[in-house]
Amino acid sequence: AQRVTQPEKLLSVFKGAPVELKCNYSYSGSPELFWYVQYSRQRLQLLLRHISRESIKGFTADLNKGETSFHLKKPFAQEEDSAMYYCALIGAGGTSYGKLTFGQGTILTVHP
Amino acid sequence: DAGITQSPRHKVTETGTPVTLRCHQTENHRYMYWYRQDPGHGLRLIHYSYGVKDTDKGEVSDGYSVSRSKTEDFLLTLESATSSQTSVYFCAISDLGASGTDTQYFGPGTRLTVL
């Protein structure tokens, strides 16, 4: 069975500080990993996906297959980064139908 | 925002009553999903559809049924609502690429309270 774990329900940092949101997964094959974000009063939206290898809003995430982790990092947090962040996984293969397995979510608060 | 709407946006109902939530898309995406969002659980998949009249169960399907009679609409029905079904319900759509995975686009959510 596939599983995504986000160990921190809440994470608070000050503006300008580095931030790391942790995500660990369990999956027997080669999954595709995503980070989704939900800002206050907005829809859940894709932040980034590991196959794109891009930086969005200053965030990056590296897939570490050895540690089965996909932590989200930003060197200098901004107040507008305050949101709920979800790590999610899609199992590889044609029968997955794109079904996402989500972690429990981490609420990030960036203080001024 | 992708062309996804959900109705109603808020609903309060009583235990034992049937409830139907509607998801409507204008993107002509093949795949549609229903999730529920609960504190401590994140989002969990209820049912999904991989085409018109093609649906299957997700992780937490007990007490829910779905129907998809046309590409743009995906209905979620609670046959007899229970208090444990109080939640925020999200619809999502996607169009899988050659890799079998793609971005999911989410609707605004429906907040359901079962008294």
Side-chain angles (χ1 to χ4, degrees):
Chain A
Q2 56 199 52
R3 178 179 290 180
V4 178
T5 303
Q6 293 178 250
E8 304 137 329
K9 280 188 180 179
L10 303 169
L11 185 61
S12 290
V13 300
F14 286 98
K15 177 182 174 181
V19 63
E20 180 179 71
L21 290 82
K22 290 183 167 50
C23 172
N24 290 92
Y25 68 91
S26 65
Y27 183 72
S28 57
S30 296
E32 183 163 353
L33 276 297
F34 302 79
W35 278 98
Y36 279 82
V37 60
Q38 187 175 27
Y39 300 104
S40 178
R41 286 187 284 277
Q42 292 188 28
R43 304 181 184 207
L44 195 67
Q45 58 187 285
L46 178 69
L47 180 63
L48 54 80
R49 55 196 298 184
H50 88 270
I51 64 169
S52 299
R53 292 189 158 276
E54 55 191 347
S55 173
I56 305 294
K57 299 185 178 182
F59 284 99
T60 59
D62 290 319
L63 179 62
N64 185 324
K65 292 186 178 181
E67 296 183 358
T68 59
S69 68
F70 189 56
H71 303 326
L72 183 69
K73 301 176 184 179
K74 185 170 183 177
F76 307 103
Q78 302 299 314
E79 290 179 68
E80 54 265 31
D81 296 328
S82 296
M84 169 74 90
Y85 290 81
Y86 288 102
C87 183
L89 172 157
I90 290 180
T95 60
S96 70
Y97 296 113
K99 293 178 289 180
L100 282 167
T101 297
F102 284 89
Q104 301 91 328
T106 298
I107 299 174
L108 173 65
T109 303
V110 181
H111 300 283
Chain B
D1 290 336
I4 312 167
T5 57
Q6 293 183 230
S7 58
R9 294 292 312 281
H10 302 271
K11 186 169 181 67
V12 179
T13 191
E14 294 188 348
T15 298
T17 59
V19 176
T20 295
L21 309 182
R22 180 183 184 232
C23 176
H24 179 78
Q25 61 145 328
T26 57
E27 305 297 320
N28 201 36
H29 281 10
R30 178 179 174 187
Y31 300 90
M32 300 185 74
Y33 313 84
W34 275 108
Y35 296 91
R36 58 178 289 174
Q37 182 186 41
D38 302 290
H41 293 279
L43 279 81
R44 292 178 292 175
L45 182 66
I46 305 171
H47 280 279
Y48 64 99
S49 171
Y50 46 97
V52 174
K53 297 193 188 321
D54 292 323
T55 66
D56 205 348
K57 297 178 180 180
E59 179 187 355
V60 289
S61 58
D62 287 350
Y64 302 95
S65 62
V66 290
S67 66
R68 190 165 178 206
S69 59
K70 45 187 178 178
T71 300
E72 56 266 35
D73 289 325
F74 192 32
L75 304 180
L76 177 71
T77 297
L78 291 65
E79 302 290 347
S80 177
T82 67
S83 58
S84 64
Q85 292 176 311
T86 293
S87 187
V88 180
Y89 292 84
F90 287 96
C91 174
I93 65 173
S94 75
D95 223 2
L96 303 189
S99 67
T101 66
D102 208 342
T103 301
Q104 286 193 17
Y105 299 94
F106 285 80
T110 294
R111 185 173 295 276
L112 175 68
T113 302
V114 183
L115 302 175

